Amino acid sequence: MLNSFESKYLLPTKEYRCLSLLYAIHNEPKSSQKTIGEKTNLSSAMVNNYIKCFKSSGLITVSGKTNRTQSYHLTEEGERNLAQSVLSYSSEIVQLYAAVKCEIKGMLNGFYAEDVRTVVLFGAADTAEVVYAAIKETQLVVIGIVDSDISKQGKVFNGLIIQKPDQILTIKPDAVLITSFARQEEIFDQIKHVVGDSIHVKKLSDVNTVTVPYKDRG
């Protein structure tokens, strides 16, 4: 099942809806149209229209006489269509990931203007994975990661043990980078309470986006 999410910038296309529906049918053929709609965030009416289209296109077969007893099965052509759609979707996601990583890399290059060489990441979530990948393509070094979530502390993140926020002073980085887009101000205040003015604290929303080459630093 595709994990859908609310987005202001990436609107679901017809192709995405088809992929979601074929995936839902592939995983649970006996689901009702209402259940399929709930899992794909589509109305029952829209699901019904797509199913009619799938049936006429030879992508699925329908058995049962009523909506409650009907089940849907992908044909060989439907399986091929699903496989091709998954590959196409995955390719676009990889391209999007690469573009975001490139943007973050450009932001991070501005750290050199402030004599930052070592960083600690705050927040061991999905965004941290992208930030970590971007940092690996710069001259910065990640020397620690912290998270206020007790369930994450002690676990391994890219070879680093996730520690409590109060360990930042022990790790002694040049800067702490908040890798969460949510609650940034709250987290910023939390970190400043721990480190004071002794360590730079940066948010992704205000990282310097001007690239300053190392050799040009004054």
Side-chain angles (χ1 to χ4, degrees):
M1 187 65 64
L2 297 178
N3 294 321
S4 59
F5 58 92
E6 292 186 6
S7 172
K8 295 180 181 179
Y9 305 102
L10 304 176
L11 297 178
T13 62
K14 178 181 178 181
E15 289 76 11
Y16 178 82
R17 295 191 188 99
C18 287
L19 172 58
S20 297
L21 287 165
L22 289 175
Y23 231 132
I25 293 171
H26 172 80
N27 290 338
E28 298 183 47
K30 294 184 179 180
S31 295
S32 66
Q33 291 188 17
K34 180 180 178 181
T35 300
I36 294 173
E38 291 172 349
K39 292 183 177 181
T40 57
N41 293 321
L42 296 173
S43 67
S44 296
M46 186 172 289
V47 171
N48 185 54
N49 288 334
Y50 274 103
I51 283 180
K52 289 179 179 178
C53 181
F54 291 161
K55 184 179 179 182
S56 64
S57 300
L59 300 181
I60 66 171
T61 58
V62 181
S63 59
K65 296 181 179 180
T66 67
N67 286 337
R68 291 187 176 183
T69 61
Q70 282 181 340
S71 61
Y72 312 97
H73 303 271
L74 297 186
T75 62
E76 289 187 7
E77 179 60 27
E79 292 286 357
R80 283 194 293 269
N81 186 290
L82 175 59
Q84 292 171 358
S85 296
V86 169
L87 286 176
S88 179
Y89 173 76
S90 300
S91 175
E92 289 192 5
I93 293 299
V94 170
Q95 292 178 54
L96 181 60
Y97 170 84
V100 171
K101 187 177 71 170
C102 184
E103 287 298 316
I104 293 176
K105 177 183 174 182
M107 296 178 184
L108 295 172
N109 282 331
F111 272 37
Y112 272 91
E114 301 177 46
D115 291 320
V116 172
R117 300 294 178 271
T118 59
V119 298
V120 161
L121 304 182
F122 189 108
D126 293 339
T127 308
E129 294 281 358
V130 183
V131 173
Y132 185 84
I135 288 178
K136 289 175 66 177
E137 297 182 7
T138 70
Q139 292 178 285
L140 299 174
V141 179
V142 178
I143 60 173
I145 182 164
V146 300
D147 200 296
S148 55
D149 187 342
I150 297 177
S151 66
K152 295 181 180 180
Q153 294 168 6
K155 295 182 179 179
V156 178
F157 175 92
N158 286 289
L160 298 168
I161 303 297
I162 302 171
Q163 302 186 57
K164 300 178 182 179
D166 60 14
Q167 292 299 305
I168 295 174
L169 289 174
T170 302
I171 302 172
K172 298 180 179 179
D174 294 329
V176 177
L177 177 58
I178 300 171
T179 59
S180 172
F181 288 111
R183 300 172 42 243
Q184 289 193 52
E185 295 300 330
E186 178 184 336
I187 295 173
F188 180 86
D189 292 339
Q190 179 184 346
I191 299 173
K192 291 298 289 185
H193 179 72
V194 173
V195 305
D197 296 324
S198 61
I199 297 174
H200 295 288
V201 181
K202 296 290 187 181
K203 298 172 288 186
L204 287 178
S205 60
D206 62 10
V207 169
N208 185 1
T209 58
V210 179
T211 302
V212 180
Y214 178 77
K215 65 180 180 180
D216 292 336
R217 287 190 299 114

